[in-house]
C-alpha cells in the first residue's frame, strides 16, 4: 500500500485536512500528516470544514515529522511552508495552497 505524508509547519490546518480527505477517498493508499514545529492542537475550523463536506475527522494532536516517517512514505506533499531541501527530492512535491 502506498503511503503519503502531508507535511506542514504546525500540522494544525492544511495538512490535517489533506490527510482526512485523502484517507476518505483513497482505496489503495494511506496518508498521514505531520509538522516540523507541531502546534499544541488542531485548529477547530478543520473539523467544521470537513463536516461541511461529509468527511469524518477524528482530531488528534499534531505530530512532529520524524526520520522514520520520511523513510516509510512513498510521497511527501508540502503546502509552501517548508524548505524543500529538508526532504528527499525523489519523494517531494510542493502545493502552494493558502490557509
Amino acid at each position: 500500500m502506498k503511503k503519503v505524508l502531508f507535511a506542514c509547519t504546525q500540522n494544525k490546518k492544511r495538512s490535517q485536512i489533506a490527510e482526512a480527505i485523502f484517507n476518505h477517498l483513497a482505496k489503495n493508499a494511506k496518508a498521514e500528516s505531520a509538522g516540523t514545529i507541531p502546534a499544541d492542537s488542531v485548529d477547530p475550523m478543520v473539523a467544521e470544514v470537513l463536516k461541511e463536506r461529509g468527511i469524518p475527522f477524528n482530531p488528534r494532536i499534531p505530530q512532529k515529522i520524524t526520520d522514520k516517517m520520511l523513510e516509510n512514505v512513498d510521497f511527501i506533499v508540502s503546502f509552501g511552508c517548508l524548505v524543500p531541501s529538508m526532504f528527499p527530492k525523489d519523494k517531494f512535491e510542493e502545493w502552494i495552497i493558502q490557509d
Side-chain angles (χ1 to χ4, degrees), residues 14-31:
R14 293 172 288 181
S15 55
Q16 293 274 348
I17 290 171
E19 176 186 356
I21 292 171
F22 186 94
N23 287 332
H24 180 70
L25 297 173
K27 292 183 173 41
N28 296 316
K30 180 154 177 52

Side-chain angles (χ1 to χ4, degrees), residues 2-13:
K2 296 283 184 182
K3 292 183 182 178
V4 176
L5 173 65
F6 290 104
C8 214
T9 304
Q10 294 186 314
N11 187 222
K12 73 175 193 174
K13 293 180 188 172

Side-chain angles (χ1 to χ4, degrees), residues 12-21 24 42-59 97-99:
K12 73 175 193 174
K13 293 180 188 172
R14 293 172 288 181
S15 55
Q16 293 274 348
I17 290 171
E19 176 186 356
I21 292 171
H24 180 70
V42 175
D43 187 311
M45 183 156 298
V46 170
E48 292 177 36
V49 167
L50 293 169
K51 183 178 179 182
E52 287 174 4
R53 287 156 180 80
I55 298 172
F57 180 64
N58 296 316
I97 298 173
Q98 298 295 319
D99 278 347

Side-chain angles (χ1 to χ4, degrees), residues 33-45:
S33 65
T36 54
I37 307 168
D40 292 331
S41 61
V42 175
D43 187 311
M45 183 156 298

